[in-house]
């Protein structure tokens, strides 16, 4: 009869260990709370430079290193920090030239390049919008200039157009 109940203590001890170890991850609750804040700010469209993200960063940093939730917390922290950093320079314009002997298109290219650099350095959304509009207009003007300008000796009629 004793042998019939022998597996019972083993099963009970395994069950007790499972209950104890599954509930020991203290970082899980901290991560869930921080993740709820994270998702709320993402859903609202709050920019990463907003001070509201500071609380989320602090909460994610409190998730213990040994926690099973720590890798996910590290991913969230890396995403926030990556978006909070300075923007990399973007190739929004081709380099232009200024000075004596440059064409009107080169001067316009230089103006577009300068606007593109300012846009890449602007961090405030309100400051970026007028720069984005000005850069779009600059690109449109540049396209018109390039369409009308031809290299020396080529007046456009060589490609089926009318001579000037």
């Amino acid at each position: 009869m004793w042998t019939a109940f022998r597996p019972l203590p083993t099963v009970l001890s395994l069950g007790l260990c499972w209950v104890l170890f599954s509930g020991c991850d203290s970082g899980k609750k901290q991560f869930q709370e921080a993740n709820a804040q994270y998702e709320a700010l993402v859903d609202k469209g709050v920019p990463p430079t907003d001070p509201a993200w500071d609380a989320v960063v602090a909460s994610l940093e409190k998730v213990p290193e040994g926690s099973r939730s720590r890798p996910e917390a590290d991913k969230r922290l890396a995403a926030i920090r990556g978006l909070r950093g300075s923007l990399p320079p973007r190739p929004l314009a081709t380099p232009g030239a200024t000075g004596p002997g440059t064409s009107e298109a080169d001067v316009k290219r230089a103006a577009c390049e300068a606007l593109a650099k300012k846009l890449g350095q602007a961090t405030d959304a309100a400051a970026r919008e007028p720069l984005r509009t000005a850069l779009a207009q600059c690109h449109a003007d540049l396209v018109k200039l390039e369409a009308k300008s031809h290299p020396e000796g080529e007046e456009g009629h060589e490609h089926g157009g009318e001579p000037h």
Side-chain angles (χ1 to χ4, degrees), residues 102-113:
T102 56
S103 70
E104 192 178 355
D106 277 338
V107 172
K108 184 53 91 172
R109 247 184 242 104
C112 291
E113 180 185 16

Side-chain angles (χ1 to χ4, degrees), residues 62-115:
K62 287 181 184 176
V63 175
E65 288 293 328
S67 171
R68 292 181 187 172
S69 301
R70 185 60 193 206
E72 193 62 33
D74 287 338
K75 286 181 189 176
R76 297 276 195 260
L77 283 168
I80 294 169
R81 289 181 178 139
L83 291 172
R84 285 183 141 189
S86 62
L87 296 172
R90 300 188 298 175
L92 297 174
T94 55
T98 57
T102 56
S103 70
E104 192 178 355
D106 277 338
V107 172
K108 184 53 91 172
R109 247 184 242 104
C112 291
E113 180 185 16
L115 283 170

